[in-house]
Amino acid sequence: MSAPGSELLRLTGRGHHEIRATHDRTLELTADTDITGRATCVLGVGAVVEGSAPPGIAGPVEITISAGGASAVVRAVANSAWRPGGSAVVRRSGVRLANTMATDADTTARDLPRSLALALADPAVAVEVVVRRGVAEGPVLVLFRSGDEARLAAERAAADVVVVGERGWDAGLSALGGGGRVLAVDAPGFAAAALESGDRPSVEVLGMAPELAVAAVCGRRVPVVVAGALGKKDLARVVSAYPAAVVVFRVAGAGLAGALDAAVKAVGTRVGAVGVDERPVWGAVEELRGLEVRGEVWCALEPVVEEVGGEVGVPEGFIAGLLGQGVSATSVVKALAGVPGWSRRRAYDEVLRVSGK
């Protein structure tokens, strides 16, 4: 990994009389040579890469924007899927599109010093953007499924330690413990070990389908049940039937809180994750239900019981809780009969015993 402060990339462009620099969510250096006054995030036009450029950039970065003797520094997280040579957008949010150079920025166009904004409005002024390696604010685990070689090269360059398959586990765990950035390539076992340990790092999941990404951030070495789009009743049935698995389902953002509430009512308090871009949000259901997400989103719910001896052991309190919430004995028996290692007869006997009948 290159040292903090080392230069990664240099872009140049020029000012434009329509530059306003008033956008409150993004800033951009565009490859286009002309813009209108509606492009309130643009800080420069005709952007080109100066000198040689890496295939991509990743990790924490500091972006220095200079023009007409004024400058500003933006701290952000580089998007390794972005390719130098086109427009470069820096976002306050975590949304990563093809033209997004970096996300999680602490500064947008509107936040820039007005002296810099005024300089950028001069078509004759040269605009320079220098991207340097930044300093991480805490441990980061990047789970990577191989396939995109350019992106992998960028992530390797940004990592303190690279874990590949079964190799490098000790070094990776040590680096995370010290607040480093670890790239785990095709290493689900390491991911589980890292996420099951004490302080949990921030997690990025790259190159995986969204339903697998949200399951991966749970870090549990248990079966994964991908259920697809479910209504609240169907979701309650599935989580009840598979209490020892990570259950993954899809729901509209507006229905997220209701779906999670249904899962809690069916099986008790759960921990899980919600897929937000390439960094799924992991935590207690009480925290996840308050997330604001647009469109459909993938969610994962962690197990509420542990698998023992090749079969799932279901606590007596779990069964009693279902019965106490008004779930019929027949429904509980059907759910238990679908659990690995349970027969319908065993489920029936256990429900009768717990209910005292």
Side-chain angles (χ1 to χ4, degrees):
M1 180 179 182
S2 53
S6 58
E7 184 173 316
L8 302 176
L9 182 69
R10 185 178 293 259
L11 306 170
T12 58
R14 69 174 192 277
H16 192 283
H17 68 278
E18 291 285 9
I19 287 179
R20 303 286 188 268
T22 58
H23 205 286
D24 64 351
R25 291 186 296 276
T26 63
L27 56 84
E28 176 181 357
L29 196 68
T30 180
D32 296 336
T33 57
D34 196 21
I35 60 171
T36 69
R38 297 179 61 187
T40 57
C41 66
V42 172
L43 307 183
V45 300
V48 295
V49 175
E50 291 293 321
S52 60
I57 54 177
V61 292
E62 291 188 353
I63 305 166
T64 302
I65 304 162
S66 305
S71 66
V73 177
V74 180
R75 293 171 181 80
V77 178
N79 171 25
S80 58
W82 177 78
R83 297 290 171 262
S87 296
V89 176
V90 179
R91 302 182 185 278
R92 187 184 294 279
S93 72
V95 176
R96 290 174 171 174
L97 304 178
N99 65 352
T100 303
M101 180 176 74
T103 62
D104 302 273
D106 64 358
T107 302
T108 64
R110 189 177 66 177
D111 302 322
L112 296 176
R114 287 301 93 186
S115 58
L116 178 56
L118 290 172
L120 295 170
D122 180 358
V125 78
V127 181
E128 183 179 69
V129 174
V130 180
V131 182
R132 294 183 174 87
R133 178 74 65 206
V135 178
E137 295 184 353
V140 177
L141 174 61
V142 181
L143 306 181
F144 194 99
R145 174 166 290 180
S146 57
D148 187 332
E149 293 302 317
R151 193 169 198 188
L152 179 58
E155 292 292 344
R156 281 181 176 273
D160 294 300
V161 172
V162 179
V163 176
V164 180
E166 301 296 320
R167 301 193 302 274
W169 281 36
D170 289 344
L173 293 174
S174 178
L176 289 174
R181 184 180 180 92
V182 174
L183 172 64
V185 183
D186 299 331
F190 173 80
L195 296 176
E196 288 174 355
S197 60
D199 293 335
R200 187 182 177 93
S202 299
V203 184
E204 298 184 20
V205 187
L206 312 180
M208 295 187 193
E211 60 270 33
L212 299 181
V214 76
V217 80
C218 290
R220 300 297 299 272
R221 284 174 275 197
V222 297
V224 176
V225 176
V226 180
L230 294 177
K232 291 189 287 186
K233 290 184 178 180
D234 289 334
L235 174 60
R237 293 190 185 99
V238 172
V239 295
S240 297
Y242 297 97
V246 170
V247 176
V248 181
F249 64 98
R250 193 171 72 247
V251 66
L256 174 62
L260 294 176
D261 287 345
V264 170
K265 184 177 180 180
V267 295
T269 304
R270 301 289 295 260
V271 175
V274 175
V276 179
D277 300 310
E278 292 182 324
R279 282 172 292 181
V281 179
W282 176 90
V285 167
E286 289 84 352
E287 300 171 354
L288 299 177
R289 69 184 308 283
L291 291 175
E292 294 184 8
V293 293
R294 298 180 180 179
E296 287 196 325
V297 64
W298 284 96
C299 304
L301 294 173
E302 292 194 7
V304 292
V305 298
E306 299 295 331
E307 187 169 309
V308 181
E311 65 179 32
V312 175
V314 180
E316 179 178 317
F318 175 79
I319 299 172
L322 292 177
L323 296 172
Q325 292 173 14
V327 180
S328 70
T330 300
S331 296
V332 176
V333 168
K334 288 181 179 179
L336 290 174
V339 175
W342 284 67
S343 65
R344 187 175 180 84
R345 180 65 189 179
R346 178 186 176 186
Y348 181 76
D349 290 343
E350 189 67 9
V351 168
L352 285 180
R353 185 184 69 78
V354 173
S355 64
K357 295 182 179 179

